[in-house]
Amino acid sequence: MSTVDIGVFIPIGNNGWLISTTSPQYMPSFELNKQVVQKAEGYGFDFALSMIKLRGFGGKSEFWDHNLESFTLMSALAAVTSKIKLYASSAILTLPPAIVARMATTIDSVAPGRFGVNIVTGWQSAEYSQMGLWPGDEYFGYRYDYATEYVQVMKELWKDGVSNFKGKHFQMEDCKLSPRPKDGVKIVAAGQSGRGIEFASQYADFNFALGTGINTPTAYGQATSRLVEASAKLGRDVGSYVLFMVIADETDEAAQAKWKLYNEGADAEALSWMKSQSSKDTKADTHSTATYLGLPEGAVNLNMGTLIGSYESIANMLDEAAGVPGTKGIMLTFDDFLEGVEAFGQKIQPLMKSRQRS
């Protein structure tokens, strides 16, 4: 069996990815994320990624009302790690591409060859309208055109140290960047829609796919096959990194009991806010992130693909996911991150055939 990379989607926002009052409750901090990432690095995780979230969902759980900033956090983590790759997220409506290119180069000097940028086009308009940065709902229709120009500017600066790019959304005039990153900066995306997949196939090195369902580790295969097909037409090999939440325990029954508890505490007010925001993109196709977020079945964890079971069961399901053609990595979230990374390293990873590297 071919091997896959393993990464962790670190808890930059309060309570991780469970919109519940009965799941583990915690605030984000540098100390928490340092412990998570250092522990992950010790167990051989290949990468860590932090999202950017600028406004939460409220409710009793105050879900994501408390968030750190992605680039500054990853810069700090770069200084206290030595091997693990680190990806920060750029909310592209908030930061000019030339500034992000320079920020990335700075972090690359802290962690040479270990840093990359995740392109976030934005789906929750309230994050941006609160700062006067939302261009209007018509942005949903051209956000990947905007992202295309954004990435082109950054790539020109990283490659040549200068950009004179002239586009609809960005115009550079002898824009300079020095020093440049020695080994380049990887670009990752998370496009799920047809246009998002097209963008990733052209400009990303990896694209994150959303796992789907409960204990259905291969159900995301269609999204990955669409990415493989689109990138192959361009002569590129863009790998898919699939996202799953892992809820594990000694037995399947004990893990299912946790999941039941978390669902019993689902924060209805926060979930209502999420649905109202995700439904604003009226032209979103059936594969888009906004569409997935609006589905009711697994809303307590943002409809993220969820693997629930004993350590052995989780290992087997992750191996199944790793076997989906086009899959190059798996990114994990946990109900409790410190305990989850520890359990993965000690009890799950040793059972995974897809992590047995010669």
Side-chain angles (χ1 to χ4, degrees):
M1 169 175 248
S2 59
T3 60
V4 292
D5 290 344
I6 290 289
V8 57
F9 202 8
I10 63 176
I12 193 171
N14 63 304
N15 302 347
W17 278 264
L18 283 161
I19 311 175
S20 173
T21 59
T22 50
S23 63
Q25 306 288 296
Y26 50 86
M27 294 289 287
S29 67
F30 169 67
E31 184 60 32
L32 170 62
N33 283 279
K34 181 181 77 170
Q35 290 183 43
V36 169
V37 174
Q38 287 182 334
K39 193 180 288 285
E41 183 174 64
Y43 284 119
F45 278 57
D46 299 282
F47 67 93
L49 182 141
S50 63
M51 69 171 182
I52 182 67
K53 185 56 60 177
L54 304 169
R55 187 184 181 97
F57 299 175
K60 291 181 180 180
S61 65
E62 299 180 352
F63 186 73
W64 283 355
D65 288 351
H66 313 280
N67 260 276
L68 303 179
E69 192 282 320
S70 185
F71 270 80
T72 45
L73 175 62
M74 299 315 265
S75 180
L77 292 174
V80 295
T81 54
S82 60
K83 296 179 294 184
I84 194 168
K85 290 182 172 62
L86 302 169
Y87 296 99
S89 295
S90 174
I92 61 176
L93 286 175
T94 66
L95 292 167
I99 296 297
V100 171
R102 192 173 296 273
M103 290 160 61
T105 300
T106 302
I107 300 176
D108 180 73
S109 73
V110 180
R114 293 197 287 127
F115 184 69
V117 177
N118 176 40
I119 300 299
V120 178
T121 58
W123 62 268
Q124 186 184 355
S125 61
E127 292 185 78
Y128 307 98
S129 60
Q130 67 180 352
M131 297 181 281
L133 295 176
W134 184 245
D137 288 355
E138 61 271 16
Y139 172 71
F140 289 124
Y142 68 80
R143 58 181 176 163
Y144 281 108
D145 298 330
Y146 188 93
T148 293
E149 293 190 10
Y150 195 98
V151 170
Q152 287 175 327
V153 170
M154 291 198 299
K155 288 190 176 229
E156 283 187 4
L157 289 169
W158 289 330
K159 179 177 180 290
D160 302 322
V162 62
S163 175
N164 284 289
F165 182 87
K166 298 292 188 292
K168 181 178 180 180
H169 306 289
F170 298 100
Q171 296 81 39
M172 300 294 113
E173 188 68 44
D174 193 32
C175 182
K176 297 292 183 69
L177 175 68
S178 183
R180 287 175 281 162
K182 294 181 180 179
D183 298 312
V185 175
K186 297 291 187 185
I187 293 291
V188 297
Q192 310 299 312
S193 66
R195 183 67 180 92
I197 291 289
E198 180 185 358
F199 168 78
S201 68
Q202 289 179 296
Y203 297 102
D205 296 288
F206 303 102
N207 189 62
F208 289 104
L210 295 173
T212 61
I214 308 297
N215 289 352
T216 52
T218 63
Y220 72 95
Q222 183 181 8
T224 296
S225 65
R226 289 189 294 124
L227 175 68
V228 169
E229 181 179 348
S231 58
K233 288 180 180 178
L234 298 171
R236 303 187 73 232
D237 180 17
V238 180
S240 180
Y241 278 5
V242 61
L243 172 63
F244 286 108
M245 174 174 283
V246 167
I247 299 175
D249 212 310
E250 294 290 346
T251 66
D252 291 339
E253 293 75 18
Q256 289 289 346
K258 288 182 181 178
W259 179 239
K260 182 175 183 293
L261 174 66
Y262 303 155
N263 276 276
E264 288 172 351
D267 188 338
E269 185 180 347
L271 289 170
S272 177
W273 170 267
M274 178 181 73
K275 184 167 180 58
S276 71
Q277 288 291 302
S278 63
S279 64
K280 288 192 174 185
D281 185 357
T282 57
K283 296 181 180 179
D285 73 22
T286 57
H287 302 295
S288 73
T289 299
T291 299
Y292 276 114
L293 290 174
L295 296 174
E297 294 84 357
V300 73
N301 69 341
L302 294 91
N303 286 290
M304 186 182 301
T306 308
L307 306 180
I308 308 165
S310 68
Y311 305 122
E312 183 178 5
S313 295
I314 298 294
N316 289 336
M317 286 189 282
L318 288 172
D319 276 340
E320 287 185 59
V324 172
T327 301
K328 293 192 175 180
I330 299 173
M331 183 165 67
L332 303 176
T333 71
F334 303 92
D335 47 346
D336 183 297
F337 274 81
L338 290 174
E339 291 182 4
V341 171
E342 186 74 26
F344 180 86
Q346 290 278 352
K347 300 177 180 181
I348 297 173
Q349 183 168 246
L351 301 177
M352 291 175 61
K353 295 177 182 177
S354 58
R355 290 293 286 170
Q356 306 307 312
R357 289 174 170 159
S358 56

